[in-house]
Amino acid sequence: MTGDRLWQPWSLRELVADTTAAAHTSRSRIEATESRVLAWVTRDVPAVEPPRSGPLAGVPFGVKDIIDVAGLPTRCGSPLRADAAPARDDASIVTAWRRTGAMPAGKTVSTEFAYFSPGQTRNPAAVGHTPGGSSSGSAAAVAAGHVPLALGSQTAGSVTRPASFCGVAALVLSHGRFPGTGVVGLSPSLDSHGFFAARVTDLALAWSALTGCPDPATTADVPPRLLIWRPRHVDPPMAAALNHSRDQLAGTGAQVDEFTDGHLVDRLTTAHPVIMAYEAARERAAELALAPRLSRELATLLRTGADTSRQDYDDARRVVADTHRPIAELFSRYDAIIGPAAPGPAPAGLAATGDPVLSRPWQALGLPVLTVPGLRTEQGLPLGLQLIGTSWREDALLTTGCWVEHALTR
């Protein structure tokens, strides 16, 4: 496996048991591998006294470079922001993480304004294959063991896909769970916060620290009720991994039934890009006026959105509104929907970031989504599964995810 020397994610749960060497370990790992991983935009963080209190006191974390950190510029992976002045204040989500005692270690690479144009980052688990987008720097920083925690954002599949490709865990939060203040957004009704860690149990610990809720990993002792979602057009290795996971989960006591509402997912998958383009053209109107200086991918999105009619946008929003109830009813009988996090392993090459199609329906609904790592192809490429949960119940989703992770890796 070509990426094994770079792929060395660092367990947050193990770190919190001994934070004394955290900063040294982070620096050493970055110095040893950053020239090949290229996960960081800057690590020139203004010096502050390390926190001595909080559940994550002293834990270093990466911040996607569309999210403000006081004293650092927010360049959004774009030449339009090359001379950006340092942010005066932290984004609200950075402030929330600082309250846990964790410390920003720097800004991680983003695709241009969190859209498709690839950044410089490499995939630590599969060198020569894309790390995904747009939170590629954060996923790679965790996968390479630079930091045990990193922040991202998702509008289509920008957290779920890089986590799957890089072989780490990630959680996309319910839409609106935390304010977007200080984040350069793309689509107000779709943009959501997310974060990466080595394993699902590490995400659970971080979530507990962030919210003050009991650690979801401590209650993962009841076999969950799952609906297995089998999308069309997944690669054979992913289809095989899904079948294997279904047998593994059922064999360890989970209730696993087939998801039969694929027509709803298809409608959401069609509606999502209409909403995204329409809102992006208006949210990023200043950049649209400078479209010739943007990447081809972002310029096309903004121009498409500018040409999208209000009627088409309203129709797409109506599809999403009409789908909320039937999907919500499923969660009265099941703990989560489980399916592939991406159509397959990370595609070869660095000129594209992969396909977010399997994230679009759930992002349209604003539901929390958990990426569970641990599976690999015969060639050693990571394959991630995604668990979709009910809105504003990230704690319950993490409990289910911890059980699933344990069942698949036992």
Side-chain angles (χ1 to χ4, degrees):
M1 179 54 230
T2 56
D4 278 348
R5 292 183 179 177
L6 295 180
W7 189 80
Q8 192 174 310
W10 185 15
S11 169
L12 177 66
R13 192 169 289 272
E14 293 174 6
L15 168 67
V16 168
D18 179 12
T19 60
T20 54
H24 173 73
T25 302
S26 178
R27 280 197 303 271
S28 297
R29 189 64 188 159
I30 291 172
E31 289 170 2
T33 64
E34 172 59 5
S35 63
R36 291 176 288 161
V37 177
L38 302 173
W40 298 88
V41 176
T42 179
R43 293 186 292 118
D44 191 19
V45 181
V48 297
E49 185 69 21
R52 299 183 183 278
S53 62
L56 301 183
V59 170
F61 68 99
V63 182
K64 181 180 181 179
D65 195 27
I66 66 165
I67 303 171
D68 286 349
V69 172
L72 297 179
T74 303
R75 296 197 173 102
C76 302
S78 177
L80 299 185
R81 294 277 187 127
D83 299 321
R88 295 180 60 183
D89 302 303
D90 286 333
S92 296
I93 190 66
V94 173
T95 299
W97 282 105
R98 281 193 195 268
R99 290 195 189 105
T100 69
M103 297 176 59
K107 305 294 284 292
T108 57
V109 169
S110 168
T111 58
E112 188 176 33
F113 286 99
Y115 200 56
F116 276 107
S117 179
Q120 63 181 3
T121 302
R122 304 302 191 249
N123 187 336
V127 174
H129 295 246
T130 176
S134 62
S135 307
S136 50
S138 288
V142 170
H146 293 177
V147 284
L149 179 70
L151 310 189
S153 67
Q154 177 152 303
T155 308
S158 299
V159 169
T160 303
R161 186 165 85 263
S164 179
F165 289 173
C166 293
V168 296
L171 176 65
V172 179
L173 308 187
S174 301
H175 179 69
R177 165 64 82 171
F178 285 90
T181 309
V183 180
V184 180
L186 195 59
S187 177
S189 70
L190 299 173
D191 295 340
S192 296
H193 294 292
F195 61 98
F196 300 84
R199 302 182 310 224
V200 176
T201 55
D202 299 310
L203 296 175
L205 178 67
W207 180 252
S208 176
L210 181 66
T211 63
C213 75
D215 186 344
T218 63
T219 57
D221 54 359
V222 178
R225 303 160 299 167
L226 302 170
L227 276 174
I228 188 164
W229 171 46
R230 303 178 188 274
R232 296 186 299 273
H233 310 308
V234 297
D235 293 350
M238 180 61 86
L242 194 60
N243 287 333
H244 170 77
S245 299
R246 188 248 180 249
D247 294 342
Q248 188 89 353
L249 292 167
T252 49
Q255 176 186 337
V256 187
D257 297 328
E258 295 291 324
F259 178 80
T260 58
D261 291 307
H263 62 288
L264 297 177
V265 174
D266 291 344
R267 296 186 69 205
L268 290 166
T269 304
T270 301
H272 176 279
V274 177
I275 297 169
M276 184 173 178
Y278 182 91
E279 293 188 0
R282 285 141 187 89
E283 185 74 2
R284 302 262 61 88
E287 286 76 19
L288 173 59
L290 301 170
R293 296 174 58 190
L294 297 173
S295 62
R296 176 180 53 82
E297 294 90 344
L298 182 58
T300 299
L301 172 75
L302 299 183
R303 287 167 173 153
T304 299
D307 291 338
T308 300
S309 70
R310 178 72 195 205
Q311 183 63 55
D312 287 346
Y313 172 72
D314 288 343
D315 289 346
R317 291 293 301 266
R318 194 170 299 111
V319 166
V320 174
D322 291 346
T323 310
H324 267 288
R325 176 175 291 180
I327 294 294
E329 287 175 351
L330 294 176
F331 291 120
S332 67
R333 292 178 281 126
Y334 293 92
D335 298 302
I337 298 169
I338 184 170
L350 303 172
T353 62
D355 191 341
V357 63
L358 301 187
S359 294
R360 290 188 186 276
W362 317 114
Q363 199 62 26
L365 293 172
L367 300 176
V369 175
L370 182 64
T371 305
V372 181
L375 303 173
R376 296 219 174 198
T377 68
E378 292 181 356
Q379 293 73 36
L381 299 173
L383 293 168
L385 299 179
Q386 61 175 324
L387 293 178
I388 301 102
T390 191
S391 191
W392 292 78
R393 287 302 313 273
E394 288 90 342
D395 55 340
L397 182 61
L398 284 163
T399 295
T400 300
C402 288
W403 195 97
V404 168
E405 181 177 63
H406 178 70
L408 294 180
T409 56
R410 57 191 298 175

